[in-house]
Amino acid sequence: AQSVTQLGSHVSVSEGALVLLRCNYSSSVPPYLFWYVQYPNQGLQLLLKYTSAATLVKGINGFEAEFKKSETSFHLTKPSAHMSDAAEYFCAAANDYKLSFGAGTTVTVRA
Amino acid sequence: NAGVTQTPKFRVLKTGQSMTLLCAQDMNHEYMYWYRQDPGMGLRLIHYSVGEGTTAKGEVPDGYNVSRLKKQNFLLGLESAAPSQTSVYFCASRARGLRTDTQYFGPGTRLTVL
């Protein structure tokens, strides 16, 4: 079964700086990968997903992720952080019709 | 559309009490899921259902039971609550289809067991 590992439980960035959240998956073919965001006291919302159609995936709110098979990675980036990006972010892998989630990364944005 | 809704939003139980959490979706989705979220552990699957009248165990099923009597509803029961079940519970649903189909989540239920 697919599994994912998120490196770094907390990330702090300055407003306007690059946001980089790391996700590595266990090797299996083909992996289907997702990034979800959870704002405080809310449910999870899909940011983007990798479906093998393109290695660079663009999502909502200016986020994108690049699938790199050689590195078994699916890192999430945003060029310029906004205060509203403060949230918890989860990487997940599809196993049949179920999802396996990473432990999550909390993003704090400093003014 | 309301999407996925959960009832109640908050609940405090004493050890040994029972309760039922209700999840409802109005998207005509076949698959439904119950997760628990604990700090530093992400979301863990408790039980899931691939259709009306069917349920299956997930990663952490002990101490929970579920029922899917109607396609739009998925109930999670705690027969005898324990402090270890203090958590935030999320319900999700998705359409039957590809592995890449999106799961849609409810707003969560925050449960405290004293």
Side-chain angles (χ1 to χ4, degrees):
Chain A
Q2 284 282 0
S3 66
V4 295
T5 301
Q6 290 184 243
L7 301 176
S9 59
H10 290 89
V11 169
S12 180
V13 299
S14 298
E15 194 173 18
L18 171 72
V19 180
L20 170 60
L21 305 182
R22 301 177 188 275
C23 174
N24 289 89
Y25 65 92
S26 61
S27 61
S28 180
V29 179
Y32 296 117
L33 301 165
F34 302 75
W35 275 101
Y36 280 86
V37 60
Q38 183 183 31
Y39 298 106
N41 300 314
Q42 294 187 25
L44 277 70
Q45 178 183 357
L46 181 71
L47 271 178
L48 50 82
K49 60 183 177 182
Y50 171 69
T51 63
S52 75
T55 57
L56 184 61
V57 182
K58 294 188 183 300
I60 62 172
N61 302 337
F63 283 92
E64 63 181 33
E66 186 172 9
F67 174 76
K68 291 188 176 180
K69 186 176 180 180
S70 60
E71 299 178 5
T72 61
S73 69
F74 190 56
H75 300 334
L76 181 71
T77 60
K78 182 174 180 178
S80 178
H82 191 273
M83 297 299 288
S84 61
D85 295 325
E88 189 163 17
Y89 293 79
F90 293 94
C91 183
N95 290 295
D96 295 323
Y97 37 78
K98 295 176 282 183
L99 289 177
S100 295
F101 285 87
T105 299
T106 299
V107 172
T108 302
V109 182
R110 305 186 304 272
Chain B
N1 288 350
V4 180
T5 57
Q6 294 183 231
T7 309
K9 289 183 168 49
F10 303 94
R11 186 72 187 268
V12 178
L13 290 178
K14 294 181 179 179
T15 297
Q17 288 185 316
S18 63
M19 77 164 294
T20 300
L21 282 67
L22 170 64
C23 175
Q25 51 95 4
D26 61 1
M27 297 175 282
N28 201 35
H29 285 167
E30 291 290 338
Y31 299 162
M32 296 187 73
Y33 308 83
W34 275 108
Y35 295 90
R36 60 177 288 172
Q37 181 182 22
D38 302 292
M41 304 188 76
L43 276 74
R44 293 180 292 168
L45 183 64
I46 305 172
H47 285 280
Y48 63 99
S49 168
V50 298
E52 182 178 321
T54 71
T55 63
K57 294 180 180 180
E59 183 184 357
V60 288
D62 294 343
Y64 305 94
N65 56 75
V66 288
S67 64
R68 183 102 180 265
L69 299 180
K70 294 183 179 180
K71 184 177 183 179
Q72 64 268 34
N73 295 338
F74 195 29
L75 279 63
L76 177 71
L78 286 72
E79 290 186 350
S80 179
S84 60
Q85 294 177 304
T86 293
S87 187
V88 181
Y89 292 86
F90 288 99
C91 177
S93 72
R94 56 155 280 185
R96 173 186 290 168
L98 303 176
R99 286 168 58 194
T100 54
D101 286 350
T102 300
Q103 284 191 21
Y104 295 89
F105 284 79
T109 295
R110 187 173 296 275
L111 175 67
T112 301
V113 183
L114 303 176

